Amino acid sequence: NVEKLPGFAEGAWWVQDLAAALPARLLGPGEGHHVLDLCAAPGGKTLQLAAQGWQVTALDISKRRLDLLKANLKRTGLKAGAVRADALTWEPKHQFDAILLDAPCSATGTARRHPDVLHRIGARQIEEMAELQSALIERAQGWLKPGGTLVFATCSLEREEGEDQAAAGVLPVAPIMAEDLP
């Protein structure tokens, strides 16, 4: 039981999959700049961004998942603003230096831990997720300050939910290699 391991209750650490930690690392140190963690809950990336010095606004539509995020913030002593809203209708009060969009997806990249995903997900679900992602990307781009950075992440292996989003011209693409990570 993870909650019983030394340091967990005191907030010395949190559990996060290695791959899930990569998107926030791409943004590097925040040095007090503002970042929007879009589709943020349950909050591993929010915690990571706050620990990297960002002023974080964490937005998610799910009350239950946002409650987990708030509990993790309280436990770790890290600070972030939590907003429950639908990103397709929400309007921020200001623009952000960076946005991390961990987009809803088909989750086909989680097949190692959830092999059933390969039997549950079909072309229709992938197409629906890709459409939602495109809409989220378009909205998020309007919330960035000039010269700001948008990190788009999914746990999908489907081209429609990754490479095709960039090829559509919505996202300017700069390839990131492991050695480029801070």
Side-chain angles (χ1 to χ4, degrees):
N1 187 344
V2 128
E3 289 87 7
K4 294 185 182 195
L5 293 174
F8 183 83
E10 298 79 23
W13 54 273
W14 62 89
V15 176
Q16 189 173 20
D17 187 86
L18 177 62
L22 294 177
R25 285 188 62 196
L26 292 173
L27 291 173
E31 301 170 358
H33 291 99
H34 290 93
V35 64
L36 174 62
D37 187 0
L38 192 52
C39 307
K45 293 172 190 68
T46 297
L47 297 175
Q48 190 179 356
L49 291 164
Q52 290 173 196
W54 289 91
Q55 291 182 18
V56 184
T57 300
L59 183 135
D60 203 279
I61 196 168
S62 169
K63 179 186 180 329
R64 180 187 62 79
R65 290 172 51 89
L66 263 181
D67 287 345
L68 291 171
L69 183 148
K70 290 175 187 175
N72 280 321
L73 286 169
K74 183 177 181 181
R75 182 178 58 78
T76 60
L78 294 167
K79 304 288 184 223
V83 177
R84 181 174 175 226
D86 182 341
L88 295 176
T89 58
W90 179 71
E91 292 297 333
K93 293 180 174 44
H94 60 83
Q95 290 186 307
F96 297 90
D97 299 295
I99 297 175
L100 193 162
L101 170 54
D102 187 5
C105 69
S106 63
T108 55
T110 67
R112 178 180 52 87
R113 288 184 298 153
H114 305 285
D116 60 302
V117 73
L118 300 176
H119 303 285
R120 289 187 293 106
I121 299 299
R124 182 177 51 82
Q125 290 93 346
I126 293 166
E127 182 179 331
E128 289 171 359
M129 288 293 102
E131 288 174 10
L132 175 58
Q133 292 162 4
S134 291
L136 289 169
I137 291 166
E138 186 175 333
R139 288 193 52 82
Q141 287 180 322
W143 301 334
L144 278 173
K145 289 180 180 177
T149 301
L150 172 63
V151 172
F152 172 75
T154 71
C155 54
S156 171
L157 300 176
E158 309 307 316
R159 288 192 61 82
E160 298 90 335
E161 298 179 85
E163 296 90 341
D164 288 357
Q165 294 291 0
V170 176
L171 289 173
V173 177
I176 304 294
M177 305 304 286
E179 59 268 16
D180 296 330
L181 291 172

